[in-house]
Amino acid sequence: MSYVGYTSQKVKPGKNLVLNIVLSTDQQTLKDVVVVGYGTLDKKRVTSSITSIKGSDLVNGLGGSTIATALQGKVSGLTISGSSSPNSSNGYQLRGVASVNAGKGPLVVIDGVPGGDLRMINQEDVQSIDVLKDASAGAIYGTRAAAGVILVTTKQAKEGKVRATWTTELSTETVRKSLDLLSSKDYMAYGIGQDYGYDTDWYRQLVDDRQLSQRHVLSLSGGSKNLQIYSSLMYSDQKGTVIGDGRTDYSGRMNAKYKMMDGKVEMSFKAQYRQANRDRRNGSSSFEHVLSLNPTIPVMDPTNPKRYNTTVGIGGTTHNPVADIELKDYQGIDKWLQADATLKINIWDGLSVQGTMGIDHRDYQLTEYYRQNHQDMVESNKRGKATHKFNKTDNKTLEAYASYLHDFDQHRVDAVAGWSFYETGGENFSMTNANFTVDGIGPWDMSSGTDLSDGLASMSSGKDPRERLMSLFARVNYDYADRYMATASFRREGSSKFGPNNRWGNFWALSAGWRISKEDFMKQLPWVNDLKLRVGYGVTGNNDFGSGYTVRTYKSNDMWPTNGVWQPGYGSAKNNNPNLKWEEKKEWDFGLDFSFLNNRISGKFDYYIRRVDDMLFEVPAPQPPMVYTTIMSNVGSLTNKGWEFELTGQIVKTKDFNYSSTVRLSHNTSKIDNLGDTNSYLYGGSFPSSMGYATKLVNGSKIGQFWLFKYAGLDENGKWLIYDKDNNVVPAKDGTKLNTVDANKHYVGNAIPKLIASWDHSFSYKQFDLGVYLRAWLDFDVFSQPNLYYGLKNSTDDNVLRIAYTNNKEINDTRILTDYFLSDGSFLKIDAVTLGYTLNLQKWTKYLQKARVYFTVRDLARITKYQGYNPEVSINGLEPGFEYLRSTSSLYPQTIHWTMGVQLNF
Amino acid sequence: MNLRNIIIAAAGTLAITACDLDEKFYSSVTPDTFYTQPENTYAVLSRPFTHWKWYLGNDRWYLQELTTDEMACPAQGKDFYNNGEYVRLHEFTWAPTDRFIVNTYEGTTGGIARALEAYDDLSKVDYGKLGMSEADRDDQLSQLNAIIAWFYMRGLDYFGGMPIYKSNNDPVVGRSTTLSSSSRRPYQS
C-alpha cells in the first residue's frame, strides 16, 4: 500500500475483513513548511523557486565569524565572496548580477523584518534559512527583492521542559599555500638589488598561523503553554593567520512568545545584540610590501635589535609591513542591535491580524593610532597621529497585515494583505590630530596633540538624507486538491529617492503549479512519488542607489576669503535628475520538483530568464551644461539566464548505516543588452600605476569578459607582440609608435564559471557521522594582478615572484595589460570534512541527554591548474574574475582550518 | 473585537503620519532656504574660485612643464614609470585617455560650469531683501564673468575651439572649430 507523501506499508490480510491501515507521513520533503514573505507555506504548495535550509543541516565547526562560511555551496545559484580572514567581508549574489549599479546583494529578512544584516546572525540561533530566488517568490517584497531574498528565521522555544545546549569549539589554522617569492639567495643570484646581508621571508614574517581560536555558545529554551522563551549567548575569539588580524565577538539573543486571552492574542518579542571587536592593523597594502621588498633587508633594526627596521633598504613608498602593523593601533568595533515586537490577534479560526515594529541599529567605531616611531610619522616629522571615526545607521520598520486561511472541500485559499513602512538614515563623524607628547595614551586624549593648535587637525561630520519606503501589499494562494495551485502577489511601493512624479511603482507576480503525480494517468508509475511543474513570472523593483539625486542641494567646498573672512564656497552637490524612476526586473522561472522510488531520490530543476530594464546608474554627462561629469539615470537593460539543479539521494538506508548525497549544479550568464547610447560604456576599476582598465562594458557585452591586449608571443629580444585590432601581429611598442592603445584591445576570456557544483556526502554508522563536502567552479578565467605586477623581471630592485625567472623568463619587457596573465581558474575544493560521534547519556544520567564530539576540517585541499595564487576570486558584480594586488582578500594565506568541538544537550 | 479596532486605528494613524515621502536633507541645503544673509551670496560666488585654486596646480603643471625641452620626468627605480604616461608627455605621444588630459579637460569645463551655475543662481537672488545694493550684485556677477572668461582662455590654450556656453540652460553644443591640421599638436612625428 502506498500513497504520495506517505511511507509504503506491506500488509498481510488476516482473518479480519476490515483492515485499518494508518500510513505514516514520514516523508520530510512534503511535511516541511517554507517561510515566504509575510507568512509560511507548506512546501508542497510552493509554486516558485525557493531553497530552504534547516539550521540543523548547517555543518558545525567550520569556523569563520559569520554564517557565510556555513552557507557556502549550500544554495545553488548563490555565490559568496570572501577570504579565510575572520574580518573578511562577504558579498552575496544570487543568479548573477541583478543590477549594473553593482554591489547589490539579496534582501535579508530576519524574522520577518526586512533589511537585516547577515553578519549579526549566529549559526546556532538559526531555525531555517529560506532563499527566495525568483521574482515570483520575491515580488511581495517589491522594490528591494530584485536580487533575491534571504529569509532567516531564528529559533523559537517550544512548550515543555527547559532544554540547554552548550557548544565549545577550539580551532587552529595552518597555511596550505603561500606566495612563491624569490628567496634572498635567488634574489642575489639574479642580481636584482643590493645585498643588505639578511635573509628575510617577508611572507612568512606576516603569517602567524597555528593560533588557537575558540567559540562558545549556550542556548536555553523552554516554557509553558502561554510563555515560551529561547535565549542564547555567544562568545568567540577568532585569530587571523596574519599578524594584526583578529576579532572577538559577543552576542546575546532573546526570543519570547506570550499568549493571552485563550490564545486569541499572541505577542512575541525578539532582540539580539552583537558586538565584534576587530583588530585590523593588517591592511590591503601589507601584502604588496611583502611582494616588493628586497629579501635581504632585515626585519629588525641592525643597530638596535629591539626596534623595527624602518630605514635600512626601506623608505619613500616602501614600508616594512611588520613594523607598519606593530607600530600602530587600528581597532574597529562593530555593533548590531536588532529588536522587534509583534502583536498578533486571532480573530476567528483562519483569520488573524498582526502588527510588527522593528528597530535595527548598527554602528562602527574606529580608533587608530600611529606611534611616534612609525615610518609615516618619522618621515612626516610628526610625533604620533590619532584618528577617531564613527558611523551609525538606524532602520525602522512598521508593518501590519491580515492573514486568512480557508479550506472548503478540496479547495484551500490562503491570503495576506497589509501595509509596510521603512525608514533609514545614517550619521558619521571623524577627527584626526597629531603630534602627541606620549605614545602610551594612544588615541584617547585627542585634544593634546599640537596639530590642533597649529591648525592642521581635521574633523568632519555628515548625516544622510532621510530615506523612506512605504507600501501596500497582498498575496493570494489557491490550491485545489494539492493538484493545481496558483499564487498571485502585488506590492505598490513608494520611495523618497524618486521625484514626486515617479515615486510610486507597482510590482506583481503570478505563479502556478501542477502536481502531475496526482493525475490519474500517473497511477501506472508507482515509483513516482511526487512530480510538480512550476511556472512563475514576476516584476520586482530596485532603488539601490544613493539619496539626493532628484533634489538640488548645496554642499560646502574649500575655504575662500570673502570680505576679509574665510568661509567655505557653496555649490550644487551633484547633478540632479528629477525624472528618476524605479529600475525593474522581470523574471520567468520554470521549475520541476520531483521525488522518486519511495522518496529515495528527490530534487528540483529550475530554468530562469530575467531582464532588468531602466537600470539606474551614473552615466557620463556633458559639462557644461551640467555641473558634474556624471548623472544618475535610468538607462539600458541587462539579461540573466541560467539553470539550477539539485538532486538528493538516500543511497543507503539501513538500521546502522546510512549514506545520502546531494549534488547542486548551477549555470548563469549575464549580458548587458544596452547601456543607453550606442557608444556608451562602463569601465571597471582602474589598475594601479596608470595601467588603465581591464574591463569595458558596452552594448552587448557579456559580464565576465576581459578587455585586454591579445598576446601574440615575443620577438627575439623578449619584447611583447600583440594582435592589433585587425588581428595583425604587431610589437607592443614600435619605435615611438605605441600599439598598446585602447583601439587594439580585444574582448577575451570568461570570468563566470560555466558550471558551479557542490557535492555533499553524509554517512552515518551507528553513533558515528561523517560529512564530506566538495565544491567546484569549472571553466572560467581569472586575471592575476600579482603576476602582472610581480611576475616579470624588471629594472627595479623590487623582489618578484619565482615565475619571473621560470615560466616568464623569456619576457624582457615592461608590463602590459595582456591576456598572458589570464589563466583557467577551474578548481575542485574539499570545502569541509566533518566526523562526529554522538553519545547517548540518558542511560547514565537523567540530566544530560546526549553529547556530540566532532572534528571538522575546512578548506582541506584544492585541485587547480590556475597560474596565479588563488582562483577563488570574487565572481560577483560587474567585473568578476580578478585576483587583486592591493586586496587582503586575494592575497590572504590559503589555510586549512581545524576544529574540535563538543556539543552537550541538557 | 475592540483590540482589532485599536490595531486598525493605530495602523491607520501610522499610515497617515508616515506618508511624507519627501527627502529630508541634513548635510546639505536646498537653495530656496539658503540665502538668508549677504555672506551666503559670497559663499556661492566663491565656489568657482575654490575650483580655480585647485585647478592652478596638479595636472596643469605636468602638461605645461613636462612637454617642454627643459623638463622631463624619467622613471626612478620603481617610481614614476606609470605605464609610460610621463614619458609620453615628453615624447608628444600622449593618448586622449591619459589622466592629465582628461583631468585638465574636465577641470576646465567644470570651472566654467560651476561659474555659470553660480551666475544663474545669483541672478535670481533678490539682493535688496538681503540688504545688499545693485552695485553688490553687479560686482558679483562681473567677477563670475571674469572667471568664466579665464577658464575659456585656459581651455583654448590647451584644446582650442572649446564649445561655448553662456548659460547652463543652453542645449549641448559641439566644438566651436573643427579639428584642422593646424590645430593639431605641432611637433608630432
Side-chain angles (χ1 to χ4, degrees), chain A residues 614-662:
Chain A
D614 294 329
M615 290 191 294
L616 284 163
F617 68 100
E618 296 212 39
V619 294
Q623 175 205 46
M626 309 268 189
V627 178
Y628 290 85
T629 53
T630 60
I631 182 164
M632 184 62 74
S633 302
N634 288 96
V635 181
S637 59
L638 72 78
T639 308
N640 302 126
K641 271 185 224 171
W643 52 265
E644 287 144 8
F645 178 62
E646 283 183 40
L647 184 69
T648 301
Q650 317 267 327
I651 295 161
V652 182
K653 213 172 168 183
T654 64
K655 185 168 164 281
D656 285 335
F657 181 70
N658 287 296
Y659 167 42
S660 69
S661 180
T662 299

Short mmCIF file of all heavy atoms in Angstrom, two decimals, chain A residues 614-662:
data_model
loop_
_atom_site.label_atom_id
_atom_site.label_comp_id
_atom_site.label_asym_id
_atom_site.label_seq_id
_atom_site.Cartn_x
_atom_site.Cartn_y
_atom_site.Cartn_z
N ASP A 614 15.49 49.76 -17.44
CA ASP A 614 15.61 51.08 -16.82
C ASP A 614 16.64 51.07 -15.70
O ASP A 614 16.40 51.56 -14.59
CB ASP A 614 14.27 51.56 -16.27
CG ASP A 614 13.26 51.82 -17.37
OD1 ASP A 614 13.68 52.20 -18.47
OD2 ASP A 614 12.05 51.61 -17.13
N MET A 615 17.77 50.45 -15.99
CA MET A 615 18.81 50.33 -14.97
C MET A 615 19.26 51.69 -14.47
O MET A 615 19.48 52.61 -15.26
CB MET A 615 20.01 49.59 -15.53
CG MET A 615 19.73 48.14 -15.79
SD MET A 615 21.23 47.24 -16.15
CE MET A 615 21.72 47.96 -17.69
N LEU A 616 19.42 51.77 -13.16
CA LEU A 616 19.85 53.02 -12.53
C LEU A 616 21.36 53.02 -12.40
O LEU A 616 21.92 52.17 -11.71
CB LEU A 616 19.23 53.13 -11.14
CG LEU A 616 17.75 53.50 -11.07
CD1 LEU A 616 17.19 53.16 -9.71
CD2 LEU A 616 17.59 54.99 -11.35
N PHE A 617 22.01 53.92 -13.09
CA PHE A 617 23.44 54.11 -12.81
C PHE A 617 23.91 55.44 -13.35
O PHE A 617 23.19 56.11 -14.08
CB PHE A 617 24.28 52.94 -13.31
CG PHE A 617 24.34 52.77 -14.80
CD1 PHE A 617 25.43 53.22 -15.52
CD2 PHE A 617 23.32 52.14 -15.47
CE1 PHE A 617 25.51 53.04 -16.89
CE2 PHE A 617 23.39 51.95 -16.85
CZ PHE A 617 24.48 52.41 -17.56
N GLU A 618 25.10 55.80 -12.95
CA GLU A 618 25.63 57.10 -13.33
C GLU A 618 26.26 57.01 -14.71
O GLU A 618 27.17 56.23 -14.92
CB GLU A 618 26.67 57.58 -12.31
CG GLU A 618 26.05 57.79 -10.95
CD GLU A 618 26.71 58.90 -10.17
OE1 GLU A 618 27.06 59.93 -10.78
OE2 GLU A 618 26.87 58.75 -8.96
N VAL A 619 25.74 57.82 -15.62
CA VAL A 619 26.29 57.84 -16.97
C VAL A 619 27.02 59.17 -17.18
O VAL A 619 26.76 60.14 -16.48
CB VAL A 619 25.17 57.68 -18.02
CG1 VAL A 619 24.53 56.32 -17.93
CG2 VAL A 619 24.13 58.76 -17.87
N PRO A 620 27.94 59.21 -18.15
CA PRO A 620 28.64 60.46 -18.42
C PRO A 620 27.66 61.57 -18.80
O PRO A 620 26.66 61.33 -19.47
CB PRO A 620 29.54 60.12 -19.60
CG PRO A 620 29.71 58.64 -19.54
CD PRO A 620 28.43 58.11 -18.98
N ALA A 621 27.95 62.79 -18.33
CA ALA A 621 27.07 63.93 -18.61
C ALA A 621 27.90 65.02 -19.25
O ALA A 621 29.07 65.21 -18.91
CB ALA A 621 26.45 64.43 -17.31
N PRO A 622 27.33 65.77 -20.20
CA PRO A 622 28.07 66.88 -20.80
C PRO A 622 28.25 68.00 -19.78
O PRO A 622 27.29 68.39 -19.10
CB PRO A 622 27.18 67.32 -21.97
CG PRO A 622 25.81 66.83 -21.64
CD PRO A 622 25.98 65.62 -20.77
N GLN A 623 29.49 68.50 -19.68
CA GLN A 623 29.79 69.52 -18.67
C GLN A 623 30.50 70.69 -19.33
O GLN A 623 31.62 70.44 -19.86
CB GLN A 623 30.70 68.87 -17.60
CG GLN A 623 31.18 69.82 -16.55
CD GLN A 623 32.49 69.34 -15.92
OE1 GLN A 623 33.41 68.93 -16.59
NE2 GLN A 623 32.56 69.38 -14.61
N PRO A 624 30.01 71.90 -19.36
CA PRO A 624 28.63 72.29 -19.15
C PRO A 624 27.76 71.73 -20.25
O PRO A 624 28.32 71.23 -21.21
CB PRO A 624 28.69 73.83 -19.20
CG PRO A 624 29.90 74.14 -20.01
CD PRO A 624 30.84 73.01 -19.84
N PRO A 625 26.46 71.76 -20.18
CA PRO A 625 25.60 72.49 -19.23
C PRO A 625 25.52 71.85 -17.83
O PRO A 625 25.14 72.54 -16.89
CB PRO A 625 24.24 72.48 -19.91
CG PRO A 625 24.29 71.38 -20.92
CD PRO A 625 25.70 71.18 -21.28
N MET A 626 25.87 70.58 -17.66
CA MET A 626 25.81 70.00 -16.31
C MET A 626 27.03 70.46 -15.51
O MET A 626 28.08 70.77 -16.08
CB MET A 626 25.82 68.48 -16.40
CG MET A 626 24.80 67.92 -17.35
SD MET A 626 23.30 67.54 -16.50
CE MET A 626 22.42 66.69 -17.78
N VAL A 627 26.90 70.44 -14.20
CA VAL A 627 28.00 70.90 -13.35
C VAL A 627 28.99 69.77 -13.08
O VAL A 627 30.18 69.98 -12.92
CB VAL A 627 27.44 71.50 -12.05
CG1 VAL A 627 28.56 71.94 -11.12
CG2 VAL A 627 26.55 72.69 -12.38
N TYR A 628 28.48 68.54 -13.02
CA TYR A 628 29.36 67.40 -12.78
C TYR A 628 29.42 66.52 -14.04
O TYR A 628 28.56 66.64 -14.93
CB TYR A 628 28.86 66.58 -11.58
CG TYR A 628 29.04 67.32 -10.28
CD1 TYR A 628 28.08 68.23 -9.84
CD2 TYR A 628 30.18 67.13 -9.51
CE1 TYR A 628 28.24 68.92 -8.66
CE2 TYR A 628 30.36 67.82 -8.33
CZ TYR A 628 29.39 68.72 -7.89
OH TYR A 628 29.57 69.41 -6.73
N THR A 629 30.40 65.63 -14.08
CA THR A 629 30.62 64.86 -15.31
C THR A 629 29.76 63.60 -15.40
O THR A 629 29.80 62.90 -16.40
CB THR A 629 32.10 64.45 -15.44
OG1 THR A 629 32.49 63.79 -14.23
CG2 THR A 629 32.98 65.65 -15.67
N THR A 630 29.05 63.25 -14.33
CA THR A 630 28.17 62.09 -14.42
C THR A 630 26.79 62.45 -13.87
O THR A 630 26.65 63.35 -13.05
CB THR A 630 28.70 60.89 -13.61
OG1 THR A 630 28.81 61.27 -12.25
CG2 THR A 630 30.02 60.39 -14.14
N ILE A 631 25.79 61.70 -14.33
CA ILE A 631 24.43 61.92 -13.83
C ILE A 631 23.73 60.57 -13.67
O ILE A 631 23.91 59.67 -14.50
CB ILE A 631 23.63 62.86 -14.78
CG1 ILE A 631 22.23 63.12 -14.22
CG2 ILE A 631 23.54 62.30 -16.20
CD1 ILE A 631 21.53 64.31 -14.84
N MET A 632 22.98 60.42 -12.58
CA MET A 632 22.23 59.19 -12.33
C MET A 632 21.05 59.14 -13.29
O MET A 632 20.30 60.11 -13.40
CB MET A 632 21.75 59.20 -10.88
CG MET A 632 21.03 57.96 -10.42
SD MET A 632 22.01 56.47 -10.48
CE MET A 632 23.09 56.70 -9.10
N SER A 633 20.93 58.03 -14.00
CA SER A 633 19.86 57.93 -14.99
C SER A 633 19.27 56.52 -15.02
O SER A 633 19.87 55.58 -14.52
CB SER A 633 20.40 58.21 -16.39
OG SER A 633 20.97 59.47 -16.45
N ASN A 634 18.10 56.41 -15.62
CA ASN A 634 17.51 55.10 -15.92
C ASN A 634 17.91 54.76 -17.34
O ASN A 634 17.32 55.27 -18.29
CB ASN A 634 15.98 55.15 -15.88
CG ASN A 634 15.46 55.28 -14.47
OD1 ASN A 634 15.17 56.37 -14.02
ND2 ASN A 634 15.33 54.17 -13.80
N VAL A 635 18.89 53.92 -17.50
CA VAL A 635 19.40 53.66 -18.84
C VAL A 635 19.61 52.16 -19.03
O VAL A 635 20.12 51.48 -18.15
CB VAL A 635 20.76 54.36 -19.05
CG1 VAL A 635 21.27 54.11 -20.44
CG2 VAL A 635 20.63 55.84 -18.82
N GLY A 636 19.23 51.67 -20.17
CA GLY A 636 19.66 50.35 -20.60
C GLY A 636 19.03 49.17 -19.90
O GLY A 636 18.13 49.31 -19.07
N SER A 637 19.51 48.00 -20.28
CA SER A 637 18.95 46.79 -19.71
C SER A 637 19.98 45.67 -19.73
O SER A 637 20.96 45.71 -20.47
CB SER A 637 17.71 46.36 -20.50
OG SER A 637 18.07 46.15 -21.84
N LEU A 638 19.78 44.68 -18.87
CA LEU A 638 20.64 43.50 -18.88
C LEU A 638 19.79 42.25 -18.72
O LEU A 638 18.65 42.30 -18.25
CB LEU A 638 21.74 43.59 -17.83
CG LEU A 638 21.51 43.46 -16.33
CD1 LEU A 638 21.32 42.02 -15.90
CD2 LEU A 638 22.73 44.00 -15.60
N THR A 639 20.36 41.12 -19.13
CA THR A 639 19.64 39.85 -19.08
C THR A 639 20.47 38.81 -18.35
O THR A 639 21.68 38.70 -18.59
CB THR A 639 19.36 39.35 -20.52
OG1 THR A 639 18.73 40.39 -21.24
CG2 THR A 639 18.46 38.13 -20.50
N ASN A 640 19.86 38.07 -17.46
CA ASN A 640 20.49 36.90 -16.84
C ASN A 640 19.72 35.68 -17.31
O ASN A 640 18.49 35.70 -17.34
CB ASN A 640 20.39 36.90 -15.32
CG ASN A 640 20.98 38.11 -14.67
OD1 ASN A 640 20.34 38.79 -13.89
ND2 ASN A 640 22.22 38.38 -14.96
N LYS A 641 20.46 34.63 -17.62
CA LYS A 641 19.83 33.36 -17.98
C LYS A 641 20.59 32.28 -17.27
O LYS A 641 21.81 32.37 -17.12
CB LYS A 641 20.01 33.11 -19.48
CG LYS A 641 18.93 33.67 -20.35
CD LYS A 641 19.19 33.24 -21.78
CE LYS A 641 18.99 34.41 -22.71
NZ LYS A 641 19.40 34.14 -24.06
N GLY A 642 19.90 31.25 -16.88
CA GLY A 642 20.64 30.17 -16.25
C GLY A 642 19.73 29.08 -15.76
O GLY A 642 18.50 29.15 -15.91
N TRP A 643 20.34 28.09 -15.17
CA TRP A 643 19.56 26.99 -14.61
C TRP A 643 20.21 26.51 -13.33
O TRP A 643 21.40 26.75 -13.07
CB TRP A 643 19.40 25.86 -15.63
CG TRP A 643 20.68 25.36 -16.24
CD1 TRP A 643 21.23 25.74 -17.42
CD2 TRP A 643 21.59 24.41 -15.67
NE1 TRP A 643 22.41 25.10 -17.63
CE2 TRP A 643 22.66 24.25 -16.58
CE3 TRP A 643 21.62 23.66 -14.49
CZ2 TRP A 643 23.73 23.40 -16.35
CZ3 TRP A 643 22.69 22.80 -14.25
CH2 TRP A 643 23.73 22.68 -15.17
N GLU A 644 19.41 25.84 -12.53
CA GLU A 644 19.88 25.26 -11.27
C GLU A 644 19.31 23.87 -11.15
O GLU A 644 18.16 23.62 -11.53
CB GLU A 644 19.38 26.11 -10.09
CG GLU A 644 20.08 27.44 -9.94
CD GLU A 644 19.15 28.55 -9.48
OE1 GLU A 644 18.00 28.24 -9.13
OE2 GLU A 644 19.58 29.71 -9.48
N PHE A 645 20.09 22.98 -10.61
CA PHE A 645 19.64 21.59 -10.49
C PHE A 645 20.10 21.07 -9.13
O PHE A 645 21.25 21.26 -8.74
CB PHE A 645 20.25 20.77 -11.63
CG PHE A 645 19.90 19.31 -11.58
CD1 PHE A 645 18.58 18.90 -11.68
CD2 PHE A 645 20.90 18.35 -11.44
CE1 PHE A 645 18.25 17.54 -11.64
CE2 PHE A 645 20.58 17.00 -11.40
CZ PHE A 645 19.25 16.59 -11.50
N GLU A 646 19.18 20.46 -8.43
CA GLU A 646 19.54 19.86 -7.14
C GLU A 646 19.02 18.44 -7.11
O GLU A 646 17.87 18.18 -7.50
CB GLU A 646 18.88 20.62 -5.99
CG GLU A 646 19.56 21.92 -5.66
CD GLU A 646 18.93 22.61 -4.46
OE1 GLU A 646 18.58 21.91 -3.49
OE2 GLU A 646 18.77 23.83 -4.53
N LEU A 647 19.85 17.52 -6.64
CA LEU A 647 19.47 16.12 -6.60
C LEU A 647 19.94 15.53 -5.28
O LEU A 647 21.11 15.66 -4.93
CB LEU A 647 20.12 15.38 -7.77
CG LEU A 647 19.77 13.91 -7.95
CD1 LEU A 647 18.32 13.76 -8.38
CD2 LEU A 647 20.69 13.28 -8.99
N THR A 648 19.03 14.92 -4.54
CA THR A 648 19.40 14.29 -3.28
C THR A 648 19.03 12.82 -3.36
O THR A 648 17.94 12.47 -3.80
CB THR A 648 18.64 14.94 -2.11
OG1 THR A 648 18.97 16.33 -2.08
CG2 THR A 648 19.04 14.32 -0.79
N GLY A 649 19.95 12.00 -2.95
CA GLY A 649 19.66 10.57 -2.94
C GLY A 649 19.95 9.95 -1.57
O GLY A 649 20.99 10.22 -0.98
N GLN A 650 18.98 9.19 -1.10
CA GLN A 650 19.22 8.39 0.11
C GLN A 650 19.77 7.08 -0.41
O GLN A 650 19.02 6.15 -0.66
CB GLN A 650 17.93 8.14 0.86
CG GLN A 650 17.02 9.33 0.97
CD GLN A 650 17.26 10.10 2.24
OE1 GLN A 650 17.63 9.50 3.27
NE2 GLN A 650 17.12 11.39 2.19
N ILE A 651 21.06 7.01 -0.60
CA ILE A 651 21.63 5.90 -1.36
C ILE A 651 21.62 4.61 -0.55
O ILE A 651 21.22 3.57 -1.05
CB ILE A 651 23.06 6.27 -1.83
CG1 ILE A 651 22.92 7.43 -2.82
CG2 ILE A 651 23.73 5.08 -2.52
CD1 ILE A 651 24.17 8.20 -3.05
N VAL A 652 22.02 4.70 0.70
CA VAL A 652 21.95 3.52 1.57
C VAL A 652 21.11 3.89 2.78
O VAL A 652 21.30 4.93 3.38
CB VAL A 652 23.37 3.08 2.03
CG1 VAL A 652 23.27 1.82 2.88
CG2 VAL A 652 24.28 2.85 0.84
N LYS A 653 20.16 3.03 3.09
CA LYS A 653 19.28 3.31 4.22
C LYS A 653 19.07 2.01 4.98
O LYS A 653 18.24 1.18 4.61
CB LYS A 653 17.94 3.83 3.67
CG LYS A 653 17.26 4.84 4.57
CD LYS A 653 16.09 5.43 3.85
CE LYS A 653 15.19 6.22 4.81
NZ LYS A 653 14.01 6.74 4.15
N THR A 654 19.89 1.78 5.97
CA THR A 654 19.74 0.56 6.78
C THR A 654 19.67 0.99 8.24
O THR A 654 19.74 2.17 8.57
CB THR A 654 20.92 -0.40 6.57
OG1 THR A 654 22.11 0.25 7.04
CG2 THR A 654 21.07 -0.78 5.11
N LYS A 655 19.58 0.00 9.10
CA LYS A 655 19.43 0.32 10.52
C LYS A 655 20.69 1.01 11.06
O LYS A 655 20.60 2.01 11.76
CB LYS A 655 19.18 -0.99 11.29
CG LYS A 655 18.89 -0.80 12.75
CD LYS A 655 18.36 -2.07 13.37
CE LYS A 655 18.44 -2.03 14.88
NZ LYS A 655 19.80 -2.31 15.38
N ASP A 656 21.84 0.48 10.67
CA ASP A 656 23.07 1.02 11.23
C ASP A 656 23.78 2.00 10.30
O ASP A 656 24.40 2.95 10.75
CB ASP A 656 24.04 -0.12 11.56
CG ASP A 656 23.61 -0.85 12.79
OD1 ASP A 656 22.91 -0.23 13.63
OD2 ASP A 656 23.94 -2.03 12.93
N PHE A 657 23.69 1.72 9.03
CA PHE A 657 24.48 2.52 8.10
C PHE A 657 23.60 3.29 7.13
O PHE A 657 22.70 2.72 6.50
CB PHE A 657 25.45 1.61 7.33
CG PHE A 657 26.31 2.35 6.35
CD1 PHE A 657 27.33 3.19 6.80
CD2 PHE A 657 26.11 2.23 4.98
CE1 PHE A 657 28.11 3.90 5.90
CE2 PHE A 657 26.90 2.94 4.08
CZ PHE A 657 27.91 3.75 4.55
N ASN A 658 23.83 4.58 7.02
CA ASN A 658 23.08 5.40 6.09
C ASN A 658 24.05 6.26 5.28
O ASN A 658 25.07 6.72 5.80
CB ASN A 658 22.13 6.34 6.84
CG ASN A 658 20.96 5.58 7.41
OD1 ASN A 658 20.15 5.00 6.71
ND2 ASN A 658 20.90 5.56 8.74
N TYR A 659 23.68 6.44 4.04
CA TYR A 659 24.50 7.31 3.20
C TYR A 659 23.58 8.11 2.32
O TYR A 659 22.75 7.57 1.60
CB TYR A 659 25.48 6.47 2.36
CG TYR A 659 26.16 7.22 1.24
CD1 TYR A 659 26.63 8.52 1.45
CD2 TYR A 659 26.33 6.64 -0.01
CE1 TYR A 659 27.25 9.21 0.42
CE2 TYR A 659 26.94 7.34 -1.04
CZ TYR A 659 27.40 8.62 -0.83
OH TYR A 659 28.02 9.32 -1.84
N SER A 660 23.69 9.40 2.39
CA SER A 660 22.92 10.23 1.48
C SER A 660 23.84 11.26 0.84
O SER A 660 24.89 11.61 1.40
CB SER A 660 21.76 10.92 2.21
OG SER A 660 22.28 11.87 3.09
N SER A 661 23.44 11.70 -0.32
CA SER A 661 24.31 12.59 -1.07
C SER A 661 23.46 13.62 -1.81
O SER A 661 22.36 13.33 -2.25
CB SER A 661 25.11 11.75 -2.06
OG SER A 661 25.95 12.58 -2.80
N THR A 662 23.98 14.83 -1.89
CA THR A 662 23.28 15.89 -2.60
C THR A 662 24.22 16.54 -3.61
O THR A 662 25.37 16.85 -3.27
CB THR A 662 22.77 16.97 -1.62
OG1 THR A 662 21.86 16.36 -0.71
CG2 THR A 662 22.06 18.09 -2.36
#
